[in-house]
Amino acid sequence: MDTLRINGLRFYGYHGEMAVEKEGGQVFEVDVEIRFDQRPSSVDDDLSKGVDVREVYRRIREVVQGPSRDLVETVAQDLADSLLEIPPVESTLIRLKKPAAYRYDAEEPGYEVEIERSAPEIERSAAEVEQSAAEAGQE
């Protein structure tokens, strides 16, 4: 498996459970690893057979600057879901940093969340949700 790493992306977003975070926003930092087989693109020197970094950047920006979420864990999951939609991505590791986490109207040292997801895992999770919904409907 080959890995593409993009580090240090910074975007302004409005995520957090506190009103000051949703209203004032803050900078979020993203590091991402994308795993896929890059042989088809490298052998043919053909970007259409690989992962276009511009598309990765666009998707990350879209999620971080997109609709407000209460939890950074949810933002990280949204990032993983979006990146796993890009063929031929097989798995991804997301490190989402919140450098200035607000608590009690005072800035404290930031924190980060790291998640790792794979395409089959996402498909399995979706299937589990559908199965649970179907079972709930039968009761």
Side-chain angles (χ1 to χ4, degrees):
M1 189 70 56
D2 304 309
T3 302
L4 168 66
R5 287 185 185 89
I6 304 172
N7 297 313
L9 298 177
R10 297 172 55 96
F11 300 101
Y12 208 82
Y14 296 86
H15 310 290
E17 62 181 345
M18 299 182 69
V20 68
E21 295 173 305
K22 291 185 179 298
E23 295 165 5
Q26 60 193 293
V27 172
F28 290 83
E29 297 177 3
V30 181
D31 298 333
V32 63
E33 293 183 8
I34 296 172
R35 295 183 195 91
F36 65 103
D37 183 358
Q38 67 181 11
R39 287 176 292 189
S41 61
S42 61
V43 167
D44 293 338
D45 196 25
D46 184 351
L47 181 57
S48 70
K49 296 179 181 178
V51 174
D52 188 337
V53 174
R54 296 168 297 189
E55 177 66 10
V56 173
Y57 177 89
R58 184 191 66 74
R59 286 173 180 255
I60 293 171
R61 183 186 68 225
E62 187 175 90
V63 169
V64 176
Q65 292 180 340
S68 178
R69 300 295 204 160
D70 288 343
L71 303 177
V72 294
E73 293 85 350
T74 305
V75 179
Q77 183 64 52
D78 291 346
L79 288 167
D81 291 345
S82 180
L83 295 176
L84 287 168
E85 292 174 352
I86 303 172
V89 174
E90 295 179 26
S91 66
T92 186
L93 182 141
I94 306 290
R95 189 174 300 111
L96 179 62
K97 302 172 188 177
K98 193 173 182 180
Y102 291 98
R103 289 287 175 245
Y104 310 110
D105 295 325
E107 286 191 41
E108 296 181 2
Y111 60 90
E112 67 182 55
V113 62
E114 179 177 294
I115 66 168
E116 190 166 357
R117 301 290 185 264
S118 62
E121 180 178 303
I122 298 299
E123 291 169 10
R124 184 174 57 249
S125 295
E128 290 170 358
V129 168
E130 289 176 16
Q131 178 67 28
S132 296
E135 290 172 359
Q138 293 175 355
E139 295 177 2

PDB file of all heavy atoms in Angstrom, residues 11 15 21 28 36-37 41 44 52 54 64 66 75 85 113 121 130 137:
ATOM      1  N   PHE A  11      -7.478  25.783   8.103  1.00  0.00           N
ATOM      2  CA  PHE A  11      -8.730  26.373   7.651  1.00  0.00           C
ATOM      3  C   PHE A  11      -9.481  26.935   8.848  1.00  0.00           C
ATOM      4  O   PHE A  11      -9.387  26.412   9.952  1.00  0.00           O
ATOM      5  CB  PHE A  11      -9.620  25.330   6.957  1.00  0.00           C
ATOM      6  CG  PHE A  11      -8.992  24.703   5.756  1.00  0.00           C
ATOM      7  CD1 PHE A  11      -8.428  23.442   5.823  1.00  0.00           C
ATOM      8  CD2 PHE A  11      -8.950  25.382   4.554  1.00  0.00           C
ATOM      9  CE1 PHE A  11      -7.849  22.863   4.719  1.00  0.00           C
ATOM     10  CE2 PHE A  11      -8.372  24.808   3.433  1.00  0.00           C
ATOM     11  CZ  PHE A  11      -7.811  23.547   3.524  1.00  0.00           C
ATOM     12  N   HIS A  15     -16.604  25.006  14.547  1.00  0.00           N
ATOM     13  CA  HIS A  15     -16.948  23.754  15.209  1.00  0.00           C
ATOM     14  C   HIS A  15     -16.660  23.837  16.701  1.00  0.00           C
ATOM     15  O   HIS A  15     -15.668  24.421  17.118  1.00  0.00           O
ATOM     16  CB  HIS A  15     -16.150  22.596  14.601  1.00  0.00           C
ATOM     17  CG  HIS A  15     -16.230  22.559  13.106  1.00  0.00           C
ATOM     18  ND1 HIS A  15     -17.386  22.219  12.437  1.00  0.00           N
ATOM     19  CD2 HIS A  15     -15.310  22.856  12.159  1.00  0.00           C
ATOM     20  CE1 HIS A  15     -17.165  22.288  11.135  1.00  0.00           C
ATOM     21  NE2 HIS A  15     -15.913  22.682  10.948  1.00  0.00           N
ATOM     22  N   GLU A  21     -17.453  29.297  20.113  1.00  0.00           N
ATOM     23  CA  GLU A  21     -16.786  28.563  19.033  1.00  0.00           C
ATOM     24  C   GLU A  21     -17.617  28.610  17.753  1.00  0.00           C
ATOM     25  O   GLU A  21     -17.074  28.742  16.657  1.00  0.00           O
ATOM     26  CB  GLU A  21     -16.563  27.106  19.447  1.00  0.00           C
ATOM     27  CG  GLU A  21     -15.599  26.964  20.610  1.00  0.00           C
ATOM     28  CD  GLU A  21     -15.521  25.541  21.117  1.00  0.00           C
ATOM     29  OE1 GLU A  21     -16.568  24.970  21.467  1.00  0.00           O
ATOM     30  OE2 GLU A  21     -14.393  25.015  21.150  1.00  0.00           O
ATOM     31  N   PHE A  28      -8.466  25.495  12.384  1.00  0.00           N
ATOM     32  CA  PHE A  28      -8.284  24.058  12.540  1.00  0.00           C
ATOM     33  C   PHE A  28      -7.135  23.638  11.638  1.00  0.00           C
ATOM     34  O   PHE A  28      -6.992  24.160  10.531  1.00  0.00           O
ATOM     35  CB  PHE A  28      -9.555  23.297  12.138  1.00  0.00           C
ATOM     36  CG  PHE A  28     -10.686  23.497  13.103  1.00  0.00           C
ATOM     37  CD1 PHE A  28     -11.495  24.620  13.020  1.00  0.00           C
ATOM     38  CD2 PHE A  28     -10.922  22.573  14.101  1.00  0.00           C
ATOM     39  CE1 PHE A  28     -12.529  24.822  13.912  1.00  0.00           C
ATOM     40  CE2 PHE A  28     -11.959  22.763  14.998  1.00  0.00           C
ATOM     41  CZ  PHE A  28     -12.766  23.890  14.906  1.00  0.00           C
ATOM     42  N   PHE A  36      -3.399   4.124  -0.940  1.00  0.00           N
ATOM     43  CA  PHE A  36      -3.942   3.585  -2.188  1.00  0.00           C
ATOM     44  C   PHE A  36      -2.785   2.993  -2.985  1.00  0.00           C
ATOM     45  O   PHE A  36      -1.616   3.214  -2.665  1.00  0.00           O
ATOM     46  CB  PHE A  36      -4.648   4.683  -2.996  1.00  0.00           C
ATOM     47  CG  PHE A  36      -3.734   5.772  -3.488  1.00  0.00           C
ATOM     48  CD1 PHE A  36      -3.317   5.812  -4.810  1.00  0.00           C
ATOM     49  CD2 PHE A  36      -3.286   6.759  -2.628  1.00  0.00           C
ATOM     50  CE1 PHE A  36      -2.461   6.811  -5.260  1.00  0.00           C
ATOM     51  CE2 PHE A  36      -2.436   7.768  -3.067  1.00  0.00           C
ATOM     52  CZ  PHE A  36      -2.023   7.792  -4.392  1.00  0.00           C
ATOM     53  N   ASP A  37      -3.108   2.253  -4.015  1.00  0.00           N
ATOM     54  CA  ASP A  37      -2.091   1.689  -4.904  1.00  0.00           C
ATOM     55  C   ASP A  37      -1.807   2.724  -5.987  1.00  0.00           C
ATOM     56  O   ASP A  37      -2.642   2.955  -6.855  1.00  0.00           O
ATOM     57  CB  ASP A  37      -2.597   0.385  -5.511  1.00  0.00           C
ATOM     58  CG  ASP A  37      -1.565  -0.299  -6.390  1.00  0.00           C
ATOM     59  OD1 ASP A  37      -0.451   0.248  -6.561  1.00  0.00           O
ATOM     60  OD2 ASP A  37      -1.880  -1.386  -6.912  1.00  0.00           O
ATOM     61  N   SER A  41      -1.153   4.856 -11.672  1.00  0.00           N
ATOM     62  CA  SER A  41      -0.902   6.245 -12.086  1.00  0.00           C
ATOM     63  C   SER A  41       0.574   6.496 -12.350  1.00  0.00           C
ATOM     64  O   SER A  41       0.928   7.201 -13.300  1.00  0.00           O
ATOM     65  CB  SER A  41      -1.423   7.224 -11.039  1.00  0.00           C
ATOM     66  OG  SER A  41      -0.774   7.027  -9.804  1.00  0.00           O
ATOM     67  N   ASP A  44       1.846   4.719 -15.749  1.00  0.00           N
ATOM     68  CA  ASP A  44       1.365   5.390 -16.959  1.00  0.00           C
ATOM     69  C   ASP A  44       1.570   6.904 -16.919  1.00  0.00           C
ATOM     70  O   ASP A  44       1.224   7.593 -17.877  1.00  0.00           O
ATOM     71  CB  ASP A  44      -0.127   5.101 -17.165  1.00  0.00           C
ATOM     72  CG  ASP A  44      -0.386   3.646 -17.484  1.00  0.00           C
ATOM     73  OD1 ASP A  44       0.552   2.958 -17.943  1.00  0.00           O
ATOM     74  OD2 ASP A  44      -1.521   3.185 -17.259  1.00  0.00           O
ATOM     75  N   ASP A  52      -5.661  12.998  -6.977  1.00  0.00           N
ATOM     76  CA  ASP A  52      -5.312  14.381  -7.275  1.00  0.00           C
ATOM     77  C   ASP A  52      -5.292  15.167  -5.960  1.00  0.00           C
ATOM     78  O   ASP A  52      -6.324  15.301  -5.289  1.00  0.00           O
ATOM     79  CB  ASP A  52      -6.335  14.979  -8.239  1.00  0.00           C
ATOM     80  CG  ASP A  52      -5.949  16.349  -8.745  1.00  0.00           C
ATOM     81  OD1 ASP A  52      -5.163  17.057  -8.083  1.00  0.00           O
ATOM     82  OD2 ASP A  52      -6.465  16.732  -9.816  1.00  0.00           O
ATOM     83  N   ARG A  54      -5.196  18.225  -5.428  1.00  0.00           N
ATOM     84  CA  ARG A  54      -6.112  19.374  -5.457  1.00  0.00           C
ATOM     85  C   ARG A  54      -7.514  18.966  -5.016  1.00  0.00           C
ATOM     86  O   ARG A  54      -8.197  19.721  -4.311  1.00  0.00           O
ATOM     87  CB  ARG A  54      -6.158  19.987  -6.861  1.00  0.00           C
ATOM     88  CG  ARG A  54      -4.814  20.579  -7.290  1.00  0.00           C
ATOM     89  CD  ARG A  54      -4.816  20.903  -8.746  1.00  0.00           C
ATOM     90  NE  ARG A  54      -5.000  19.654  -9.516  1.00  0.00           N
ATOM     91  CZ  ARG A  54      -4.892  19.545 -10.825  1.00  0.00           C
ATOM     92  NH1 ARG A  54      -4.636  20.616 -11.553  1.00  0.00           N
ATOM     93  NH2 ARG A  54      -5.060  18.391 -11.427  1.00  0.00           N
ATOM     94  N   VAL A  64     -14.090  21.307   6.591  1.00  0.00           N
ATOM     95  CA  VAL A  64     -13.703  22.139   7.736  1.00  0.00           C
ATOM     96  C   VAL A  64     -14.424  23.484   7.697  1.00  0.00           C
ATOM     97  O   VAL A  64     -14.849  23.997   8.730  1.00  0.00           O
ATOM     98  CB  VAL A  64     -12.176  22.320   7.810  1.00  0.00           C
ATOM     99  CG1 VAL A  64     -11.796  23.271   8.946  1.00  0.00           C
ATOM    100  CG2 VAL A  64     -11.484  20.978   8.013  1.00  0.00           C
ATOM    101  N   GLY A  66     -17.249  23.938   6.289  1.00  0.00           N
ATOM    102  CA  GLY A  66     -18.662  23.644   6.075  1.00  0.00           C
ATOM    103  C   GLY A  66     -19.506  23.773   7.327  1.00  0.00           C
ATOM    104  O   GLY A  66     -19.137  24.472   8.275  1.00  0.00           O
ATOM    105  N   VAL A  75     -16.236  16.040  12.805  1.00  0.00           N
ATOM    106  CA  VAL A  75     -15.562  16.670  11.660  1.00  0.00           C
ATOM    107  C   VAL A  75     -14.541  15.698  11.076  1.00  0.00           C
ATOM    108  O   VAL A  75     -14.456  15.528   9.858  1.00  0.00           O
ATOM    109  CB  VAL A  75     -14.874  17.996  12.067  1.00  0.00           C
ATOM    110  CG1 VAL A  75     -14.158  18.620  10.873  1.00  0.00           C
ATOM    111  CG2 VAL A  75     -15.886  18.978  12.654  1.00  0.00           C
ATOM    112  N   GLU A  85     -14.430   8.524  -0.603  1.00  0.00           N
ATOM    113  CA  GLU A  85     -15.237   8.519  -1.831  1.00  0.00           C
ATOM    114  C   GLU A  85     -14.377   8.693  -3.079  1.00  0.00           C
ATOM    115  O   GLU A  85     -14.863   8.511  -4.190  1.00  0.00           O
ATOM    116  CB  GLU A  85     -16.268   9.650  -1.788  1.00  0.00           C
ATOM    117  CG  GLU A  85     -17.347   9.456  -0.753  1.00  0.00           C
ATOM    118  CD  GLU A  85     -18.255  10.664  -0.636  1.00  0.00           C
ATOM    119  OE1 GLU A  85     -17.967  11.723  -1.240  1.00  0.00           O
ATOM    120  OE2 GLU A  85     -19.265  10.550   0.081  1.00  0.00           O
ATOM    121  N   VAL A 113      -7.580  15.155  17.488  1.00  0.00           N
ATOM    122  CA  VAL A 113      -8.179  13.834  17.402  1.00  0.00           C
ATOM    123  C   VAL A 113      -7.586  13.163  16.170  1.00  0.00           C
ATOM    124  O   VAL A 113      -7.309  13.827  15.165  1.00  0.00           O
ATOM    125  CB  VAL A 113      -9.714  13.913  17.331  1.00  0.00           C
ATOM    126  CG1 VAL A 113     -10.182  14.641  16.102  1.00  0.00           C
ATOM    127  CG2 VAL A 113     -10.341  12.535  17.399  1.00  0.00           C
ATOM    128  N   GLU A 121     -14.648  -0.594   5.916  1.00  0.00           N
ATOM    129  CA  GLU A 121     -15.175  -0.274   7.241  1.00  0.00           C
ATOM    130  C   GLU A 121     -16.356   0.686   7.129  1.00  0.00           C
ATOM    131  O   GLU A 121     -17.368   0.528   7.793  1.00  0.00           O
ATOM    132  CB  GLU A 121     -14.064   0.354   8.081  1.00  0.00           C
ATOM    133  CG  GLU A 121     -14.464   0.728   9.482  1.00  0.00           C
ATOM    134  CD  GLU A 121     -13.283   1.304  10.241  1.00  0.00           C
ATOM    135  OE1 GLU A 121     -12.256   0.611  10.351  1.00  0.00           O
ATOM    136  OE2 GLU A 121     -13.408   2.438  10.698  1.00  0.00           O
ATOM    137  N   GLU A 130     -28.179   0.538   8.459  1.00  0.00           N
ATOM    138  CA  GLU A 130     -29.386   0.141   7.726  1.00  0.00           C
ATOM    139  C   GLU A 130     -30.047  -1.057   8.390  1.00  0.00           C
ATOM    140  O   GLU A 130     -31.263  -1.126   8.505  1.00  0.00           O
ATOM    141  CB  GLU A 130     -29.034  -0.165   6.272  1.00  0.00           C
ATOM    142  CG  GLU A 130     -28.681   1.061   5.459  1.00  0.00           C
ATOM    143  CD  GLU A 130     -28.245   0.734   4.045  1.00  0.00           C
ATOM    144  OE1 GLU A 130     -28.490  -0.399   3.581  1.00  0.00           O
ATOM    145  OE2 GLU A 130     -27.659   1.618   3.396  1.00  0.00           O
ATOM    146  N   GLY A 137     -37.708  -0.938  12.692  1.00  0.00           N
ATOM    147  CA  GLY A 137     -38.974  -0.807  11.988  1.00  0.00           C
ATOM    148  C   GLY A 137     -39.864  -2.025  12.120  1.00  0.00           C
ATOM    149  O   GLY A 137     -41.078  -1.960  11.955  1.00  0.00           O
TER     150      GLY A 137
END
